[in-house]
Amino acid sequence: MAPRGELPTTSFAVLGLLSYGPLSGYALASLAEQSIGNFWTIAKSQVYRELARLEELGYVEGTDVRQEKLPDKRMYELTNEGRSSLIEWLNNPSPDKEGTRMRSTFLLKVFFGNLMEPEQLLDMIRTHRDQAEQALERFDLILDQLSRDPGAVYMLTTAKLGKRVTEATAEWADEAVKSLSRRRTPSKRRSQPRKSGRKR
Amino acid sequence: MAPRGELPTTSFAVLGLLSYGPLSGYALASLAEQSIGNFWTIAKSQVYRELARLEELGYVEGTDVRQEKLPDKRMYELTNEGRSSLIEWLNNPSPDKEGTRMRSTFLLKVFFGNLMEPEQLLDMIRTHRDQAEQALERFDLILDQLSRDPGAVYMLTTAKLGKRVTEATAEWADEAVKSLSRRRTPSKRRSQPRKSGRKR
DNA sequence: ATCCTCATGTAACACGTTACATGATTAC
DNA sequence: GTAATCATGTAACGTGTTACATGAGGAT
């Protein structure tokens, strides 16, 4: 990402958020987390470096703001050039080599599940399912709110994917627990241990 | 991740892969990509740093190997301590603050879809759906293979999630295209442009 | 013949994560 | 009245990404 000369994706994420209005670094970081945080995170310190760079490029303009009760801050607003650059990036079928990457400690553990205590693994998956179900409730709230706002069609669209993926995850977890319980742990159930022909 | 003194998740990913047998850095990097690459990527150069660190800790043991036609290499194998540490990490309900993070340029663009050309956005989503469908076929192949191997239950389990998520993505994309087409672009269809009351 | 890929790895730099700092509120 | 949180940001360090190097083998 940022294959020489070009800006990385995060730069455009920042420009995009600033397209809604001026923000301080702190506010931008918070907004990023709440809005696009589910599919694009920006490290707090990266936000400041990014803003500095974008200011150098003339894509944003920063002005210092004194505050009485709160720490002073610097507000950044999008320039016309910044907006153009953002729009061009958006409409330019970007060289998306990377596409969509995921990172999950949980799945890593499942993958090496043969080295886990069977019950421990099952517990972990059950917990994951419960978390997914909680997340589902949150998604429903958000979807409800966004549905009312006709200006939020695109956010709504991304949130819908979040919901679908979360549903899929919960269903998978349920199935996984069932299918993994069925072949192990003759404990705590009235089933007798049969000869389980496993190698190694 | 790696909150002082403790090892980061990637270290355990490396130990996990070495639990199947000795590997060179290069081979480990390749294996990582093919096996756990869908939910845990390891940068090529990180692999070598990681192996060096793990060797320092006594979790792996490396030996130089001379080769005739190919570049010399260093093979690493898991020590008993390494295996213990891995197993402990696996069974220790890890402080998963991070959980599961995703990173998608595509969704970022959808989120800022109001600044895209409607047709451009739709094309992008259609492409995404097509890619998901291709991925589905690949998943089916993999699932088919893994199903036959009784030793691959855990890999199979993770692959099943991949399939479900990919299905969900494809379905979402279809719905998104429909719902986003329905409210814009009076072009290329026999529909007359009606007054579309959009603000600003 | 030339170019691409494999197999091996190193080096430079960009990005992410954690910890640190500080004064004002809010919580208990 | 101490502790957590907010609002602002900086600094240090670990991780990821890109580019570079190199000789053999396969492709065209």
Short mmCIF file of all heavy atoms in Angstrom, two decimals, chain A residues 105-154:
data_model
loop_
_atom_site.label_atom_id
_atom_site.label_comp_id
_atom_site.label_asym_id
_atom_site.label_seq_id
_atom_site.Cartn_x
_atom_site.Cartn_y
_atom_site.Cartn_z
N THR A 105 -7.14 -13.65 16.09
CA THR A 105 -6.48 -14.56 17.03
C THR A 105 -7.35 -15.79 17.26
O THR A 105 -6.85 -16.91 17.36
CB THR A 105 -6.25 -13.84 18.37
OG1 THR A 105 -5.48 -12.67 18.14
CG2 THR A 105 -5.50 -14.74 19.33
N PHE A 106 -8.62 -15.53 17.35
CA PHE A 106 -9.57 -16.61 17.59
C PHE A 106 -9.44 -17.73 16.55
O PHE A 106 -9.28 -18.91 16.90
CB PHE A 106 -10.98 -16.03 17.59
CG PHE A 106 -12.05 -17.06 17.51
CD1 PHE A 106 -12.35 -17.86 18.59
CD2 PHE A 106 -12.75 -17.23 16.32
CE1 PHE A 106 -13.35 -18.82 18.50
CE2 PHE A 106 -13.74 -18.19 16.22
CZ PHE A 106 -14.04 -18.98 17.32
N LEU A 107 -9.47 -17.35 15.28
CA LEU A 107 -9.39 -18.37 14.24
C LEU A 107 -8.05 -19.07 14.25
O LEU A 107 -7.95 -20.26 13.95
CB LEU A 107 -9.66 -17.75 12.87
CG LEU A 107 -11.13 -17.48 12.61
CD1 LEU A 107 -11.33 -16.76 11.28
CD2 LEU A 107 -11.91 -18.79 12.61
N LEU A 108 -7.03 -18.32 14.60
CA LEU A 108 -5.71 -18.94 14.71
C LEU A 108 -5.74 -20.07 15.74
O LEU A 108 -5.23 -21.17 15.50
CB LEU A 108 -4.70 -17.87 15.12
CG LEU A 108 -3.23 -18.18 14.94
CD1 LEU A 108 -2.91 -18.45 13.49
CD2 LEU A 108 -2.38 -17.02 15.47
N LYS A 109 -6.37 -19.82 16.83
CA LYS A 109 -6.45 -20.86 17.86
C LYS A 109 -7.28 -22.04 17.39
O LYS A 109 -6.93 -23.20 17.64
CB LYS A 109 -7.02 -20.27 19.15
CG LYS A 109 -6.03 -19.35 19.86
CD LYS A 109 -6.46 -19.07 21.28
CE LYS A 109 -5.36 -18.32 22.03
NZ LYS A 109 -5.69 -18.16 23.46
N VAL A 110 -8.38 -21.75 16.73
CA VAL A 110 -9.18 -22.85 16.21
C VAL A 110 -8.34 -23.70 15.26
O VAL A 110 -8.38 -24.92 15.31
CB VAL A 110 -10.43 -22.32 15.49
CG1 VAL A 110 -11.19 -23.47 14.84
CG2 VAL A 110 -11.34 -21.58 16.45
N PHE A 111 -7.59 -23.02 14.43
CA PHE A 111 -6.77 -23.73 13.45
C PHE A 111 -5.81 -24.71 14.12
O PHE A 111 -5.59 -25.81 13.63
CB PHE A 111 -5.97 -22.71 12.63
CG PHE A 111 -5.25 -23.30 11.45
CD1 PHE A 111 -5.88 -23.42 10.23
CD2 PHE A 111 -3.94 -23.75 11.58
CE1 PHE A 111 -5.22 -23.96 9.14
CE2 PHE A 111 -3.27 -24.30 10.49
CZ PHE A 111 -3.92 -24.40 9.26
N PHE A 112 -5.27 -24.29 15.25
CA PHE A 112 -4.36 -25.18 15.98
C PHE A 112 -5.10 -25.93 17.09
O PHE A 112 -4.52 -26.30 18.11
CB PHE A 112 -3.19 -24.38 16.54
CG PHE A 112 -2.31 -23.79 15.47
CD1 PHE A 112 -2.12 -22.44 15.37
CD2 PHE A 112 -1.69 -24.63 14.55
CE1 PHE A 112 -1.31 -21.90 14.38
CE2 PHE A 112 -0.88 -24.10 13.54
CZ PHE A 112 -0.70 -22.73 13.46
N GLY A 113 -6.37 -26.14 16.87
CA GLY A 113 -7.23 -26.72 17.89
C GLY A 113 -6.81 -28.10 18.37
O GLY A 113 -7.18 -28.51 19.47
N ASN A 114 -6.05 -28.80 17.55
CA ASN A 114 -5.60 -30.14 17.97
C ASN A 114 -4.68 -30.08 19.19
O ASN A 114 -4.51 -31.08 19.87
CB ASN A 114 -4.92 -30.86 16.82
CG ASN A 114 -3.75 -30.05 16.26
OD1 ASN A 114 -2.61 -30.49 16.26
ND2 ASN A 114 -4.03 -28.82 15.81
N LEU A 115 -4.13 -28.91 19.44
CA LEU A 115 -3.26 -28.78 20.61
C LEU A 115 -3.99 -28.18 21.81
O LEU A 115 -3.38 -27.90 22.83
CB LEU A 115 -2.04 -27.91 20.26
CG LEU A 115 -1.12 -28.50 19.18
CD1 LEU A 115 -0.03 -27.51 18.80
CD2 LEU A 115 -0.51 -29.81 19.65
N MET A 116 -5.28 -27.98 21.66
CA MET A 116 -6.05 -27.42 22.77
C MET A 116 -6.81 -28.51 23.50
O MET A 116 -7.12 -29.56 22.94
CB MET A 116 -7.07 -26.39 22.25
CG MET A 116 -6.46 -25.09 21.80
SD MET A 116 -7.73 -23.91 21.27
CE MET A 116 -8.41 -23.40 22.84
N GLU A 117 -7.13 -28.23 24.74
CA GLU A 117 -8.05 -29.09 25.45
C GLU A 117 -9.40 -28.97 24.76
O GLU A 117 -9.89 -27.85 24.56
CB GLU A 117 -8.24 -28.60 26.90
CG GLU A 117 -6.97 -28.39 27.66
CD GLU A 117 -6.42 -29.70 28.18
OE1 GLU A 117 -7.15 -30.72 28.06
OE2 GLU A 117 -5.29 -29.72 28.67
N PRO A 118 -10.01 -30.10 24.44
CA PRO A 118 -11.29 -30.03 23.72
C PRO A 118 -12.31 -29.10 24.38
O PRO A 118 -12.94 -28.29 23.69
CB PRO A 118 -11.76 -31.48 23.75
CG PRO A 118 -10.50 -32.28 23.80
CD PRO A 118 -9.53 -31.48 24.60
N GLU A 119 -12.44 -29.20 25.69
CA GLU A 119 -13.43 -28.34 26.35
C GLU A 119 -13.07 -26.86 26.26
O GLU A 119 -13.94 -26.00 26.15
CB GLU A 119 -13.61 -28.75 27.82
CG GLU A 119 -14.70 -29.78 28.01
CD GLU A 119 -16.03 -29.38 27.35
OE1 GLU A 119 -16.41 -28.21 27.42
OE2 GLU A 119 -16.65 -30.27 26.73
N GLN A 120 -11.79 -26.62 26.34
CA GLN A 120 -11.32 -25.24 26.23
C GLN A 120 -11.67 -24.65 24.87
O GLN A 120 -12.16 -23.52 24.76
CB GLN A 120 -9.80 -25.23 26.46
CG GLN A 120 -9.15 -23.90 26.32
CD GLN A 120 -9.68 -22.91 27.35
OE1 GLN A 120 -9.94 -23.28 28.49
NE2 GLN A 120 -9.90 -21.68 26.92
N LEU A 121 -11.44 -25.45 23.86
CA LEU A 121 -11.77 -25.00 22.51
C LEU A 121 -13.26 -24.72 22.36
O LEU A 121 -13.67 -23.69 21.85
CB LEU A 121 -11.33 -26.06 21.50
CG LEU A 121 -11.74 -25.85 20.05
CD1 LEU A 121 -11.20 -24.55 19.50
CD2 LEU A 121 -11.29 -27.02 19.18
N LEU A 122 -14.06 -25.65 22.86
CA LEU A 122 -15.51 -25.46 22.74
C LEU A 122 -15.96 -24.21 23.48
O LEU A 122 -16.78 -23.43 22.97
CB LEU A 122 -16.23 -26.69 23.28
CG LEU A 122 -16.10 -27.93 22.39
CD1 LEU A 122 -16.70 -29.15 23.08
CD2 LEU A 122 -16.77 -27.70 21.05
N ASP A 123 -15.43 -24.03 24.66
CA ASP A 123 -15.78 -22.82 25.42
C ASP A 123 -15.46 -21.57 24.62
O ASP A 123 -16.24 -20.62 24.56
CB ASP A 123 -15.00 -22.77 26.74
CG ASP A 123 -15.70 -23.58 27.81
OD1 ASP A 123 -16.77 -24.15 27.52
OD2 ASP A 123 -15.18 -23.64 28.94
N MET A 124 -14.29 -21.61 24.02
CA MET A 124 -13.86 -20.44 23.27
C MET A 124 -14.82 -20.14 22.13
O MET A 124 -15.21 -19.00 21.90
CB MET A 124 -12.45 -20.69 22.73
CG MET A 124 -11.76 -19.46 22.25
SD MET A 124 -10.10 -19.84 21.62
CE MET A 124 -10.48 -20.81 20.18
N ILE A 125 -15.23 -21.19 21.44
CA ILE A 125 -16.14 -20.97 20.32
C ILE A 125 -17.50 -20.49 20.81
O ILE A 125 -18.12 -19.61 20.22
CB ILE A 125 -16.29 -22.27 19.49
CG1 ILE A 125 -14.92 -22.71 18.97
CG2 ILE A 125 -17.23 -22.05 18.32
CD1 ILE A 125 -14.94 -23.99 18.16
N ARG A 126 -17.94 -21.07 21.92
CA ARG A 126 -19.23 -20.61 22.46
C ARG A 126 -19.17 -19.13 22.83
O ARG A 126 -20.08 -18.36 22.54
CB ARG A 126 -19.59 -21.42 23.71
CG ARG A 126 -20.00 -22.85 23.40
CD ARG A 126 -20.64 -23.52 24.61
NE ARG A 126 -20.56 -24.98 24.48
CZ ARG A 126 -19.66 -25.74 25.08
NH1 ARG A 126 -18.75 -25.18 25.90
NH2 ARG A 126 -19.65 -27.04 24.90
N THR A 127 -18.07 -18.75 23.44
CA THR A 127 -17.91 -17.33 23.79
C THR A 127 -17.97 -16.46 22.53
O THR A 127 -18.62 -15.42 22.51
CB THR A 127 -16.56 -17.11 24.49
OG1 THR A 127 -16.52 -17.93 25.65
CG2 THR A 127 -16.37 -15.66 24.87
N HIS A 128 -17.30 -16.95 21.53
CA HIS A 128 -17.29 -16.20 20.27
C HIS A 128 -18.71 -16.05 19.73
O HIS A 128 -19.09 -14.97 19.26
CB HIS A 128 -16.42 -16.96 19.27
CG HIS A 128 -15.97 -16.11 18.11
ND1 HIS A 128 -15.04 -15.11 18.24
CD2 HIS A 128 -16.32 -16.11 16.80
CE1 HIS A 128 -14.84 -14.54 17.07
NE2 HIS A 128 -15.61 -15.13 16.18
N ARG A 129 -19.46 -17.12 19.80
CA ARG A 129 -20.83 -17.06 19.31
C ARG A 129 -21.64 -16.03 20.12
O ARG A 129 -22.38 -15.22 19.57
CB ARG A 129 -21.49 -18.43 19.43
CG ARG A 129 -22.91 -18.45 18.93
CD ARG A 129 -23.67 -19.60 19.55
NE ARG A 129 -23.47 -19.65 21.00
CZ ARG A 129 -23.67 -20.72 21.75
NH1 ARG A 129 -24.07 -21.84 21.19
NH2 ARG A 129 -23.46 -20.69 23.05
N ASP A 130 -21.45 -16.07 21.42
CA ASP A 130 -22.19 -15.12 22.25
C ASP A 130 -21.82 -13.69 21.91
O ASP A 130 -22.69 -12.81 21.82
CB ASP A 130 -21.89 -15.39 23.73
CG ASP A 130 -22.43 -16.74 24.17
OD1 ASP A 130 -23.23 -17.34 23.41
OD2 ASP A 130 -22.07 -17.21 25.27
N GLN A 131 -20.55 -13.48 21.68
CA GLN A 131 -20.13 -12.12 21.31
C GLN A 131 -20.75 -11.71 19.99
O GLN A 131 -21.18 -10.56 19.81
CB GLN A 131 -18.61 -12.05 21.23
CG GLN A 131 -17.95 -12.01 22.59
CD GLN A 131 -16.44 -12.16 22.51
OE1 GLN A 131 -15.90 -12.41 21.44
NE2 GLN A 131 -15.78 -12.03 23.64
N ALA A 132 -20.80 -12.66 19.07
CA ALA A 132 -21.41 -12.35 17.78
C ALA A 132 -22.87 -11.98 17.97
O ALA A 132 -23.39 -11.05 17.34
CB ALA A 132 -21.27 -13.54 16.83
N GLU A 133 -23.53 -12.69 18.86
CA GLU A 133 -24.95 -12.39 19.06
C GLU A 133 -25.15 -11.01 19.70
O GLU A 133 -26.08 -10.29 19.36
CB GLU A 133 -25.62 -13.49 19.88
CG GLU A 133 -26.15 -14.59 18.95
CD GLU A 133 -26.33 -15.93 19.65
OE1 GLU A 133 -26.28 -15.96 20.89
OE2 GLU A 133 -26.49 -16.94 18.94
N GLN A 134 -24.26 -10.68 20.60
CA GLN A 134 -24.34 -9.33 21.16
C GLN A 134 -24.09 -8.28 20.07
O GLN A 134 -24.78 -7.27 20.00
CB GLN A 134 -23.31 -9.16 22.27
CG GLN A 134 -23.67 -9.91 23.54
CD GLN A 134 -22.56 -9.78 24.58
OE1 GLN A 134 -21.49 -10.36 24.43
NE2 GLN A 134 -22.83 -9.03 25.63
N ALA A 135 -23.10 -8.57 19.25
CA ALA A 135 -22.79 -7.63 18.18
C ALA A 135 -24.00 -7.47 17.26
O ALA A 135 -24.30 -6.37 16.79
CB ALA A 135 -21.58 -8.12 17.38
N LEU A 136 -24.71 -8.56 17.06
CA LEU A 136 -25.90 -8.51 16.21
C LEU A 136 -26.92 -7.52 16.73
O LEU A 136 -27.51 -6.75 15.98
CB LEU A 136 -26.54 -9.89 16.13
CG LEU A 136 -26.20 -10.73 14.92
CD1 LEU A 136 -27.04 -11.98 14.90
CD2 LEU A 136 -26.39 -9.93 13.65
N GLU A 137 -27.11 -7.56 18.04
CA GLU A 137 -28.07 -6.61 18.62
C GLU A 137 -27.63 -5.18 18.36
O GLU A 137 -28.43 -4.31 18.00
CB GLU A 137 -28.21 -6.86 20.12
CG GLU A 137 -28.90 -8.17 20.43
CD GLU A 137 -28.91 -8.48 21.93
OE1 GLU A 137 -28.75 -7.51 22.72
OE2 GLU A 137 -29.06 -9.65 22.30
N ARG A 138 -26.32 -4.95 18.53
CA ARG A 138 -25.83 -3.60 18.27
C ARG A 138 -26.04 -3.21 16.81
O ARG A 138 -26.47 -2.09 16.52
CB ARG A 138 -24.34 -3.53 18.64
CG ARG A 138 -24.12 -3.13 20.09
CD ARG A 138 -22.65 -3.11 20.43
NE ARG A 138 -22.15 -4.43 20.83
CZ ARG A 138 -21.10 -5.04 20.31
NH1 ARG A 138 -20.42 -4.46 19.32
NH2 ARG A 138 -20.72 -6.22 20.75
N PHE A 139 -25.78 -4.16 15.93
CA PHE A 139 -25.99 -3.86 14.51
C PHE A 139 -27.45 -3.51 14.23
O PHE A 139 -27.74 -2.60 13.45
CB PHE A 139 -25.57 -5.06 13.65
CG PHE A 139 -24.14 -4.99 13.22
CD1 PHE A 139 -23.24 -5.98 13.59
CD2 PHE A 139 -23.67 -3.94 12.44
CE1 PHE A 139 -21.90 -5.92 13.19
CE2 PHE A 139 -22.34 -3.87 12.05
CZ PHE A 139 -21.47 -4.86 12.42
N ASP A 140 -28.36 -4.22 14.89
CA ASP A 140 -29.76 -3.94 14.64
C ASP A 140 -30.13 -2.53 15.06
O ASP A 140 -30.86 -1.82 14.36
CB ASP A 140 -30.63 -4.98 15.36
CG ASP A 140 -30.70 -6.28 14.58
OD1 ASP A 140 -30.60 -6.23 13.34
OD2 ASP A 140 -30.85 -7.35 15.19
N LEU A 141 -29.59 -2.11 16.18
CA LEU A 141 -29.83 -0.73 16.61
C LEU A 141 -29.32 0.26 15.57
O LEU A 141 -30.02 1.18 15.16
CB LEU A 141 -29.12 -0.47 17.94
CG LEU A 141 -29.76 -1.08 19.18
CD1 LEU A 141 -28.97 -0.69 20.43
CD2 LEU A 141 -31.20 -0.59 19.31
N ILE A 142 -28.09 0.03 15.16
CA ILE A 142 -27.48 0.94 14.20
C ILE A 142 -28.26 0.95 12.89
O ILE A 142 -28.56 2.01 12.34
CB ILE A 142 -26.02 0.52 13.94
CG1 ILE A 142 -25.19 0.74 15.20
CG2 ILE A 142 -25.44 1.30 12.78
CD1 ILE A 142 -23.80 0.17 15.11
N LEU A 143 -28.60 -0.23 12.43
CA LEU A 143 -29.33 -0.31 11.17
C LEU A 143 -30.65 0.43 11.28
O LEU A 143 -31.08 1.12 10.35
CB LEU A 143 -29.59 -1.78 10.81
CG LEU A 143 -28.35 -2.53 10.32
CD1 LEU A 143 -28.65 -4.01 10.14
CD2 LEU A 143 -27.87 -1.94 9.01
N ASP A 144 -31.27 0.31 12.43
CA ASP A 144 -32.53 0.98 12.65
C ASP A 144 -32.36 2.49 12.51
O ASP A 144 -33.13 3.17 11.83
CB ASP A 144 -33.04 0.63 14.04
CG ASP A 144 -34.50 0.94 14.18
OD1 ASP A 144 -35.28 0.46 13.32
OD2 ASP A 144 -34.85 1.67 15.12
N GLN A 145 -31.33 2.99 13.15
CA GLN A 145 -31.09 4.43 13.09
C GLN A 145 -30.75 4.89 11.68
O GLN A 145 -31.29 5.87 11.18
CB GLN A 145 -29.94 4.78 14.03
CG GLN A 145 -30.15 4.24 15.43
CD GLN A 145 -29.72 5.21 16.49
OE1 GLN A 145 -28.69 5.87 16.35
NE2 GLN A 145 -30.51 5.31 17.53
N LEU A 146 -29.83 4.18 11.07
CA LEU A 146 -29.39 4.60 9.74
C LEU A 146 -30.52 4.53 8.71
O LEU A 146 -30.55 5.31 7.76
CB LEU A 146 -28.20 3.75 9.29
CG LEU A 146 -26.89 3.95 10.04
CD1 LEU A 146 -25.81 3.03 9.49
CD2 LEU A 146 -26.43 5.40 9.97
N SER A 147 -31.43 3.59 8.92
CA SER A 147 -32.53 3.44 7.96
C SER A 147 -33.38 4.71 7.90
O SER A 147 -33.97 5.02 6.87
CB SER A 147 -33.43 2.28 8.35
OG SER A 147 -32.67 1.12 8.52
N ARG A 148 -33.47 5.39 9.01
CA ARG A 148 -34.31 6.59 9.04
C ARG A 148 -33.68 7.77 8.33
O ARG A 148 -34.36 8.73 7.99
CB ARG A 148 -34.56 7.01 10.49
CG ARG A 148 -35.17 5.94 11.34
CD ARG A 148 -35.48 6.51 12.71
NE ARG A 148 -35.64 5.43 13.69
CZ ARG A 148 -36.64 4.55 13.63
NH1 ARG A 148 -37.55 4.63 12.70
NH2 ARG A 148 -36.71 3.59 14.55
N ASP A 149 -32.38 7.73 8.17
CA ASP A 149 -31.66 8.87 7.61
C ASP A 149 -31.37 8.64 6.14
O ASP A 149 -30.52 7.83 5.77
CB ASP A 149 -30.35 9.06 8.38
CG ASP A 149 -29.55 10.25 7.86
OD1 ASP A 149 -29.97 10.85 6.86
OD2 ASP A 149 -28.51 10.56 8.47
N PRO A 150 -32.08 9.34 5.28
CA PRO A 150 -31.90 9.10 3.84
C PRO A 150 -30.53 9.53 3.35
O PRO A 150 -30.10 9.14 2.27
CB PRO A 150 -33.00 9.96 3.20
CG PRO A 150 -33.41 10.94 4.22
CD PRO A 150 -32.98 10.47 5.56
N GLY A 151 -29.80 10.30 4.13
CA GLY A 151 -28.46 10.69 3.74
C GLY A 151 -27.40 9.68 4.10
O GLY A 151 -26.23 9.84 3.79
N ALA A 152 -27.85 8.61 4.75
CA ALA A 152 -26.89 7.64 5.26
C ALA A 152 -26.91 6.33 4.50
O ALA A 152 -26.54 5.28 5.03
CB ALA A 152 -27.14 7.38 6.74
N VAL A 153 -27.34 6.36 3.25
CA VAL A 153 -27.50 5.12 2.49
C VAL A 153 -26.23 4.29 2.44
O VAL A 153 -26.29 3.08 2.50
CB VAL A 153 -27.86 5.39 1.01
CG1 VAL A 153 -28.80 4.32 0.53
CG2 VAL A 153 -28.40 6.77 0.82
N TYR A 154 -25.10 4.96 2.32
CA TYR A 154 -23.87 4.21 2.10
C TYR A 154 -23.35 3.62 3.41
O TYR A 154 -22.91 2.47 3.45
CB TYR A 154 -22.85 5.10 1.40
CG TYR A 154 -23.42 5.62 0.11
CD1 TYR A 154 -23.91 6.92 -0.01
CD2 TYR A 154 -23.55 4.78 -0.98
CE1 TYR A 154 -24.48 7.36 -1.19
CE2 TYR A 154 -24.12 5.20 -2.16
CZ TYR A 154 -24.59 6.49 -2.26
OH TYR A 154 -25.18 6.92 -3.43
#
